[in-house]
Amino acid sequence: MPPKPPTTLLQLPPPFLLPRCSLNHVSSRGIRSITPPRPNRFNRSQDLPLLESTTAAALERKSLTLPLRTGALGIKKGMTAIYDPETGRRYPCTVLQMDRVQVVAHKTRQKNGYYAVQVGCGWKHPSNVTRPLLGHFAEHGVSPKRHLVEFRVKDERGLLEVGEIIGPAWFQEGQFVDARANCRGMGFAGGMKRHGFSGQPASHGNSLTHRAMGSAGQSQGGGSRVLPGKRMAGRMGGQQVTTQNVKVLKVDAEKGSIAGPDGCLVKFQDAIKKPWPDVPLHPPSAESAAEPLGAVL
């Protein structure tokens, strides 16, 4: 066996034994990536589809059903009737009074995620208004209102100026609106009055349970429980009812009936199931709305 050649301290090993990376290289072993991709939080890239669970997708889905302009508030004063001069037909009408309807504030997509107009009506003494709400009215330069309601609009074109008055001229005769109001509360009612149950027999062994509801569920076969959504006795009325496609006959009367007792607050806006009315998105100014004066010489 030949002797091994003498090795010195300066002699390097063969090239195939040398490391192929520099000494300051950090190993990239492991499951997690060192530079993970950072997706766009708002998903606004052009090469990515719009996520269905985002706010932008929700606004796009509502773009066809959101009205172009804000609605108005009215106080229900009662009902009357109007005869159609062309057909002679009698139409029941609801009279609504618009009491100092005014724009109070805005909701924008940049700040709130959607577009809306806050509308107030009536008047309330400052001593009966809380201090936070008084500051809200003072910030926008509007007198305290008795009722405050938001109306969703499609985009920024439907945002009216703060402090602008919305009068009866905001709607035109012949257009359709959707009216929303709280119906008259009935209090606690039984099953026959609340849901129209027929009741139990009046004779043949039945006593003291003529208007009772009867069985509320099964025993072992149904799990010995009352199924969700079971129609039972409870509070009747008092909830919001929407009457769609109500035709405006006059500037302060509407064709058809509107839910709620006299004196209740009614919210009405352009109907979403009818074509949008051909009216301006902003109410007419006081100069243009005033009739010109004439003189007879």
Side-chain angles (χ1 to χ4, degrees):
M1 183 175 182
K4 294 182 179 180
T7 58
T8 61
L9 296 177
L10 299 178
Q11 187 176 3
L12 296 177
F16 63 88
L17 295 179
L18 293 175
R20 298 183 180 181
C21 58
S22 59
L23 297 179
N24 57 357
H25 179 73
V26 181
S27 177
S28 61
R29 297 178 181 177
I31 300 177
R32 298 180 59 182
S33 176
I34 297 179
T35 57
R38 301 184 63 180
N40 191 357
R41 178 168 174 256
F42 299 98
N43 195 21
R44 295 178 180 175
S45 179
Q46 298 181 358
D47 55 346
L48 294 177
L50 185 65
L51 295 179
E52 296 297 330
S53 59
T54 58
T55 307
L59 293 176
E60 186 177 354
R61 288 193 298 268
K62 285 182 170 290
S63 61
L64 299 178
T65 58
L66 284 178
L68 301 178
R69 58 181 195 156
T70 180
L73 301 177
I75 304 298
K76 183 176 178 179
K77 307 302 293 184
M79 295 195 66
T80 181
I82 291 182
Y83 288 89
D84 190 356
E86 298 180 356
T87 61
R89 184 177 177 182
R90 180 180 181 271
Y91 291 104
C93 301
T94 301
V95 180
L96 302 177
Q97 179 186 6
M98 301 178 67
D99 182 16
R100 288 165 283 191
V101 182
Q102 195 173 8
V103 178
V104 178
H106 292 162
K107 293 294 182 66
T108 59
R109 182 180 178 185
Q110 292 76 15
K111 185 177 181 180
N112 308 103
Y114 61 97
Y115 293 102
V117 180
Q118 190 181 58
V119 180
C121 74
W123 181 81
K124 201 170 185 180
H125 198 276
S127 62
N128 296 329
V129 183
T130 59
R131 288 190 176 184
L133 202 54
L134 275 177
H136 177 68
F137 289 125
E139 179 184 359
H140 297 90
V142 181
S143 61
K145 300 295 182 181
R146 180 165 294 275
H147 304 285
L148 279 179
V149 176
E150 276 190 9
F151 289 96
R152 292 282 301 271
V153 292
K154 182 178 180 180
D155 49 22
E156 64 276 0
R157 295 178 300 172
L159 300 179
L160 301 181
E161 296 293 336
V162 175
E164 196 162 2
I165 300 295
I166 301 178
W170 184 243
F171 299 96
Q172 61 182 0
E173 296 184 6
Q175 79 164 95
F176 295 89
V177 296
D178 293 340
R180 301 189 298 270
N182 292 331
C183 64
R184 184 166 59 92
M186 305 291 183
F188 193 92
M192 294 182 65
K193 181 178 180 180
R194 190 184 185 196
H195 301 291
F197 292 164
S198 60
Q200 299 188 29
S203 61
H204 296 285
N206 188 2
S207 59
L208 304 180
T209 58
H210 305 288
R211 297 181 62 89
M213 184 185 67
S215 175
Q218 309 92 331
S219 181
Q220 290 184 348
S224 300
R225 65 193 182 98
V226 178
L227 297 178
K230 173 63 180 176
R231 296 185 297 174
M232 306 174 71
R235 303 193 68 174
M236 179 180 178
Q239 70 271 10
Q240 180 176 277
V241 176
T242 302
T243 307
Q244 293 184 331
N245 304 332
V246 181
K247 187 177 182 180
V248 178
L249 291 184
K250 289 187 178 180
V251 293
D252 59 351
E254 296 182 0
K255 174 182 173 181
S257 60
I258 295 177
D262 294 347
C264 70
L265 180 68
V266 180
K267 298 167 283 186
F268 47 99
Q269 199 171 8
D270 297 335
I272 62 175
K273 293 186 177 180
K274 295 290 184 178
W276 301 124
D278 188 12
V279 294
L281 297 181
H282 295 272
S285 59
E287 293 77 5
S288 61
E291 297 181 358
L293 297 179
V296 180
L297 302 177

